[in-house]
């Protein structure tokens, strides 16, 4: 499945800045960063559950938020880009 994951983490405290780094690191293991807190992800149901569990463990639910949008098949192919936005290499390995 193709997903768009976005997050917003309150960074006014050192703990918040740590949560922000942890969320970024978690998401980098699943997909491609296309904006600062936006990731395009290709995964299966089991990986999605693991990703959501990891995010749930990281965020502070009283101030942070995570949104996951499930896109239709080939949804990434229909993205309109402006400016310096590059298409993400979804079928390439995430680890170099």
């Amino acid at each position: 499945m193709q997903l768009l994951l976005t997050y917003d983490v309150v960074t006014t405290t050192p703990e918040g800045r740590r949560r922000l780094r942890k969320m970024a690191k978690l998401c980098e293991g699943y997909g491609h960063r296309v904006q600062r807190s936006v990731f395009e992800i290709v995964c299966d149901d089991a990986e999605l559950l693991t990703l959501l569990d990891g995010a749930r463990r990281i965020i502070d639910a009283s101030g942070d938020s995570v949104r996951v949008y499930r896109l239709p098949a080939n949804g990434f192919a229909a993205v309109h880009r402006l400016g310096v936005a590059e298409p993400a290499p979804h079928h390439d390995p995430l680890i170099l």
Side-chain angles (χ1 to χ4, degrees):
M1 77 184 77
Q2 295 183 346
L3 307 172
L4 186 67
L5 183 144
T6 67
Y7 58 86
D8 190 19
V9 175
V10 177
T11 59
T12 55
T13 64
E15 295 82 17
R17 291 187 287 278
R18 277 193 289 279
R19 289 194 313 276
L20 180 68
R21 286 190 298 276
K22 286 181 179 182
M23 272 303 298
K25 199 75 155 157
L26 174 70
C27 292
E28 286 169 350
Y30 287 89
H32 296 278
R33 183 189 297 256
V34 293
Q35 292 185 348
R36 286 192 172 98
S37 296
V38 179
F39 285 79
E40 292 179 351
I41 297 171
V42 176
C43 68
D44 59 28
D45 288 331
E47 291 169 321
L48 174 58
L49 290 175
T50 304
L51 171 62
L52 293 176
D53 182 60
R56 193 173 292 114
R57 292 170 187 264
I58 293 169
I59 68 164
D60 176 356
S62 68
D64 304 338
S65 69
V66 176
R67 290 177 178 253
V68 179
Y69 301 90
R70 189 178 296 211
L71 302 176
N74 297 316
F76 294 142
V79 173
H80 296 280
R81 296 170 196 85
L82 300 172
V84 298
E86 298 270 334
H90 295 289
H91 300 292
D92 291 352
L94 292 175
I95 300 173
L96 301 175

